[in-house]
Amino acid sequence: MPRRVTRTTLRSMTHLPPPAEELRLLDAELRQLDARRSQLLTRRGWLIAALQQTQQSRPWASAQPPVTAAPRPETAAPSVQNVLLVLGGVLLTLAAAVFTLVSWGQMGIAGRALVLGAVTLATLAAPLALLKRGLRSTAEAVAGLGLALTVLDAYALHAAALSGTDGTGYAAAASAVLAAAWSAYGLLPVMSALRLPLPSALAAAQFPLLLSALAADAGPYTITAALLVTAGLDAVAVARLTAGAVRITAVVGAYGMGGWGVLGAGWLSLTAGGPGAASRAGALLLLAAAIALGAAWRGPGIGHALGLAITAGLLVVAALGGVARSGLPSQWAVPAHLAVGVALLAVVRAGRLPEAIRTGFAWASGAVQALAVLWTLPVVAVVLLGPAGWLGRVWRGAPADARTAVLVEAPWPPGAVMAPAVLVGVAAVLALAVRAQVWRSRARLGALGLLWATALVLPAVLELPYAAGLLVLGVVTAAMLYACRVTASAAQVTALVLALVTSAGLTLVSLASQSATLAVLSGLTVLFAAASWRSGAAPFTAPAALVYAAALASASGAAADWPAARTALPVLLVPAAAAVLAARLGSSRATVPVEAVGGALGLFAVALAVTDPPMLALVLALCGVIAAGTALRAERRPVGYAATALFVLAAWVRLAAWDVGTPEAYTLPVTVPALLVGALRRRRDPRASSWTAYGPGLAATLLPGLVAAWADPQWTRPLLLGVAALLVTLLGARHRLGAPLVLGGSVLALLTLHELAPYVVQVTGALPRWAPPALAGLLLLALGATYEQRIRDVRRVREALGRMD
């Protein structure tokens, strides 16, 4: 060992025994494992036998039923107790009601007073003793029975002594007395543990004001005021009470009575016949708004306060807007409400108000503005979609004004004259009032859309002249396209969509006049082409420019009274320009959209020429030229197949137009180029298969020609086809090419069979009937005798063909 190896290195080295020693150790371990496995298997067999003997000696052991757990009670004891107490209280209450209604008249005045007073006092006093014994649930049930008895006492008093009084007025007074009595009963120190009296008193307090108004034959304004005042008192109770059944009852009362009051006030505001009635209804709505605002100010929950603040803001808008609506023309109703809604934003700027109230007023203002914008949508829809009616009335004559141009079949919405003012107002709020960084960009996009809608509807609203309306739409389109160049991200997408929509509407409106159509399509082509120059929106604007250029070509052909097939020629200039433009664009994002639109416009040109076969052949050939030019680019080589197909189709259509019925005239124009392409491929790649290079071209002529020759009674076509097949076969054999040899030989053999078939039939008829079976038997014997030799020959031929290219 070298002396440079240290002791530390020697300690860290692992000792490996020699191979013979390691093999001996492994064999010893394996023998120990086998011995242990034999012991475990023996023990397992003994245990299985012992278990089988135990089961046979005690057969009853397996027949014992399984032990099941005791059934669990489905209802807890407190639940059973509460159900029994409630059921008992209900039954006693029903019994008391039956006694009061049925048996009351059979007793005198003293008996009645004695019975009702004794039963009611005893029932109301019983909870005290029950509470001292700790029976709280029983005390609650008995207290409920006592409260029900007080209601029956009030009814009995009216039936016996006060039957001449007004029932509604008595009910109002009785509900007030019962509310006060139940409150006093529940506030007693000895009864403070009961939870039923105070909520019952609050529920009874909901009816005195309403019933008093009904008893006094008050009008709808007074009844609505009674509902709102009751809701306000409930809101005060909610603010002063802590969590519990009493507060829940107050909340339900506040929302219930307040909801009915708001509905009534809103209906009165909508149906107000003059400023006076509208002012009274507005005062009721303002009262409801004040109640909601006060509850929001004192509300403990943020969500609760936010909802109340939104409600208060909407009620203020409804109140003031309703008053303004009553003194203004009908078309000013929406702008009046919008002005009040915008004025709510002044409250949002007040810093001393709670955040929930300011946020709620902001949301209320936004809701009013959104509703105002929704009101203008019918006008925008008519302006956008109404001109579509000109598609069935192209070039019928220029209309008198811009409104007539859009009202082809749709009616003009009422109150549409104020739509631009509403749109501009909301746009100004979005652009100036929204200052939060998160919402500012979105608000500006919304303002842009609203200003666009304003410009769109303004010519129709103002009834501008037809030419002026077209000019406005053109300017809007140009402005949106300019915004696409100077903005980015979401703003660019928004401007682009608005530009495309405006241009489509402008095109539809221009269909009323021939000169307007040509001018508009020319302008749109130039605008979108200019917008595509070094712009991020080019993948959309460049295809749009091509579409408008094709529409201009079609309109120009129609203006010149050209037939549709002839119009296809100027339309083809657009796909040609698209192909040139795509080659210039290179790897730009606009390349694929431009090529796709160019291809679609080429199909459109073919569709225009389909009724004229000679023109269709020319159009197909020109499309083939465009496709061939595109295929010159290295990344568009596969388009060459489409170019070939177009050239072939053009030749076939031309032959069909000449009434040529010879199939070779259709197949040879395919075969000759295909063979030339195959020869070039074989020259570049000598390893290419002859089936790939020459198979398609040869099959394109030989197979249709074979079918035609098989059905041709003349001798000219079979002779020419046979000579051609013979030449192909000889060339295949000479150059050892499989495709020409097999295709040419097969066609030649089938043609020979077809030509010799009549003679075979004659020979078969001249032979005796025993000759064919005998010949068949000899043939089978000959085949059987030389089977092995034939197999060798077949294998030799197959190998020879396989060696061919």
Side-chain angles (χ1 to χ4, degrees):
M1 180 179 296
R3 294 183 179 180
R4 292 190 301 269
V5 179
T6 63
R7 294 183 178 180
T8 305
T9 306
L10 291 173
R11 290 196 197 99
S12 61
M13 293 176 61
T14 303
H15 173 68
L16 296 176
E21 181 65 19
E22 185 177 0
L23 180 60
R24 186 185 64 79
L25 294 175
L26 290 177
D27 291 339
E29 292 290 339
L30 289 175
R31 284 193 298 270
Q32 292 179 4
L33 289 175
D34 291 338
R36 182 59 178 166
R37 185 173 183 277
S38 300
Q39 294 176 1
L40 294 176
L41 290 176
T42 304
R43 181 62 179 172
R44 180 177 180 276
W46 183 85
L47 291 174
I48 292 175
L51 288 176
Q52 292 177 353
Q53 292 177 2
T54 302
Q55 291 179 358
Q56 291 175 1
S57 60
R58 293 187 298 173
W60 50 269
S62 60
Q64 290 182 352
V67 180
T68 58
R72 297 178 58 186
E74 297 181 358
T75 308
S79 300
V80 176
Q81 166 193 312
N82 294 332
V83 170
L84 293 177
L85 291 175
V86 172
L87 183 59
V90 170
L91 292 177
L92 289 175
T93 304
L94 292 176
V98 171
F99 169 77
T100 304
L101 296 175
V102 177
S103 301
W104 182 257
Q106 300 176 2
M107 302 177 65
I109 296 177
R112 301 169 187 174
L114 180 62
V115 171
L116 283 176
V119 172
T120 303
L121 291 176
T123 305
L124 292 176
L128 178 59
L130 294 173
L131 289 174
K132 290 181 179 180
R133 293 179 177 271
L135 303 176
R136 181 176 175 179
S137 299
T138 306
E140 291 282 0
V142 175
L145 175 61
L147 298 180
L149 287 175
T150 57
V151 178
L152 294 176
D153 289 343
Y155 169 76
L157 179 61
H158 179 268
L162 301 175
S163 59
T165 60
D166 179 58
T168 306
Y170 179 80
S175 60
V177 172
L178 289 174
W182 292 350
S183 298
Y185 180 71
L187 293 174
L188 291 175
V190 294
M191 299 297 181
S192 60
L194 297 177
R195 294 178 296 181
L196 187 60
L198 292 180
S200 301
L202 193 56
Q206 307 299 314
F207 302 102
L209 291 179
L210 177 61
L211 293 176
S212 298
L214 293 176
D217 292 332
Y221 293 94
T222 305
I223 295 174
T224 304
L227 291 171
L228 293 176
V229 170
T230 304
L233 296 176
D234 290 331
V236 173
V238 171
R240 293 183 175 273
L241 295 173
T242 57
V246 184
R247 192 173 188 276
I248 293 175
T249 305
V251 170
V252 173
Y255 279 110
M257 304 302 283
W260 282 110
V262 168
L263 289 177
W267 177 255
L268 292 175
S269 178
L270 288 175
T271 57
S279 299
R280 292 194 294 272
L284 294 174
L285 290 172
L286 288 177
L287 174 61
I291 295 171
L293 188 61
W297 200 301
R298 299 291 183 180
I302 298 299
H304 181 79
L306 179 61
L308 289 173
I310 294 174
T311 303
L314 294 176
L315 289 175
V316 170
V317 173
L320 300 181
V323 174
R325 183 183 65 249
S326 62
L328 295 174
S330 59
Q331 61 266 26
W332 285 89
V334 174
H337 286 82
L338 177 61
V340 179
V342 173
L344 287 179
L345 296 176
V347 180
V348 179
R349 303 298 180 188
R352 292 178 295 178
L353 294 176
E355 180 66 22
I357 294 179
R358 292 190 288 114
T359 305
F361 272 50
W363 279 103
S365 177
V368 173
Q369 296 176 55
L371 291 174
V373 172
L374 287 177
W375 175 77
T376 64
L377 287 184
V379 185
V380 179
V382 168
V383 173
L384 277 178
L385 304 178
W390 290 110
L391 292 173
R393 307 176 183 181
V394 178
W395 297 350
R396 294 289 182 88
D401 51 52
R403 182 179 297 183
T404 308
V406 299
L407 297 180
V408 183
E409 296 178 355
W412 186 246
V417 66
M418 299 305 300
V422 171
L423 293 171
V424 171
V426 178
V429 172
L430 291 176
L432 301 177
V434 179
R435 299 180 180 179
Q437 192 65 27
V438 178
W439 294 95
R440 187 164 182 80
S441 59
R442 303 175 186 176
R444 288 183 176 180
L445 289 180
L448 176 63
L450 293 176
L451 291 177
W452 167 80
T454 303
L456 199 67
V457 303
L458 196 61
V461 171
L462 299 179
E463 298 185 82
L464 297 179
Y466 176 66
L470 294 177
L471 181 61
V472 169
L473 294 179
V475 171
V476 172
T477 304
M480 293 298 104
L481 289 176
Y482 177 75
C484 292
R485 295 181 60 88
V486 299
T487 58
S489 66
Q492 186 181 42
V493 174
T494 303
L496 177 61
V497 172
L498 296 180
L500 293 174
V501 173
T502 309
S503 64
L506 176 60
T507 303
L508 292 176
V509 174
S510 69
L511 294 178
S513 171
Q514 175 179 319
S515 58
T517 301
L518 296 176
V520 165
L521 292 177
S522 301
L524 290 178
T525 302
V526 173
L527 279 177
F528 279 92
S532 304
W533 184 257
R534 296 180 181 178
S535 172
F540 303 95
T541 55
L546 295 175
V547 171
Y548 285 121
L552 176 61
S554 301
S556 301
D561 292 331
W562 287 358
R566 189 176 179 183
T567 306
L569 293 178
V571 171
L572 273 181
L573 296 176
V574 180
V580 175
L581 179 61
R584 294 290 301 273
L585 291 174
S587 59
S588 173
R589 293 188 300 114
T591 303
V592 175
V594 166
E595 290 177 337
V597 172
L601 294 177
L603 293 177
F604 174 67
V606 172
L608 290 176
V610 74
T611 56
D612 188 353
M615 186 60 67
L616 177 60
L618 178 59
V619 170
L620 288 172
L622 294 176
C623 290
V625 172
I626 297 173
T630 303
L632 293 177
R633 296 158 52 194
E635 68 276 10
R636 294 292 184 266
R637 296 298 188 201
V639 183
Y641 297 105
T644 303
L646 289 171
F647 285 130
V648 171
L649 287 175
W652 287 356
V653 172
R654 183 72 263 182
L655 292 174
W658 286 336
D659 295 330
V660 175
T662 304
E664 288 78 9
Y666 296 89
T667 57
L668 286 176
V670 179
T671 297
V672 174
L675 293 178
L676 292 177
V677 172
L680 292 175
R681 181 173 182 180
R682 287 273 299 177
R683 186 175 180 180
R684 293 180 179 179
D685 185 10
R687 293 178 298 176
S689 174
S690 63
W691 289 101
T692 304
Y694 303 120
L698 293 175
T701 294
L702 293 178
L703 297 182
L706 178 62
V707 174
W710 199 273
D712 192 352
Q714 303 297 328
W715 58 272
T716 307
R717 177 178 281 113
L719 178 60
L720 295 177
L721 183 61
V723 172
L726 179 59
L727 292 176
V728 170
T729 304
L730 294 177
L731 289 174
R734 172 67 178 80
H735 297 283
R736 302 179 64 186
L737 299 176
L741 181 62
V742 173
L743 289 176
S746 301
V747 172
L748 184 60
L750 291 174
L751 279 175
T752 304
L753 177 62
H754 175 264
E755 295 300 320
L756 297 178
Y759 303 101
V760 173
V761 172
Q762 292 179 3
V763 171
T764 304
L767 291 175
R769 295 188 177 181
W770 54 265
L775 293 175
L778 292 175
L779 180 60
L780 291 175
L781 289 176
L783 289 176
T786 59
Y787 183 74
E788 184 177 1
Q789 182 64 33
R790 299 307 179 195
I791 290 178
R792 279 204 225 68
D793 294 341
V794 170
R795 288 176 178 173
R796 191 178 299 111
V797 172
R798 185 177 62 185
E799 292 173 358
L801 290 175
R803 288 193 297 270
M804 295 182 179
D805 293 334

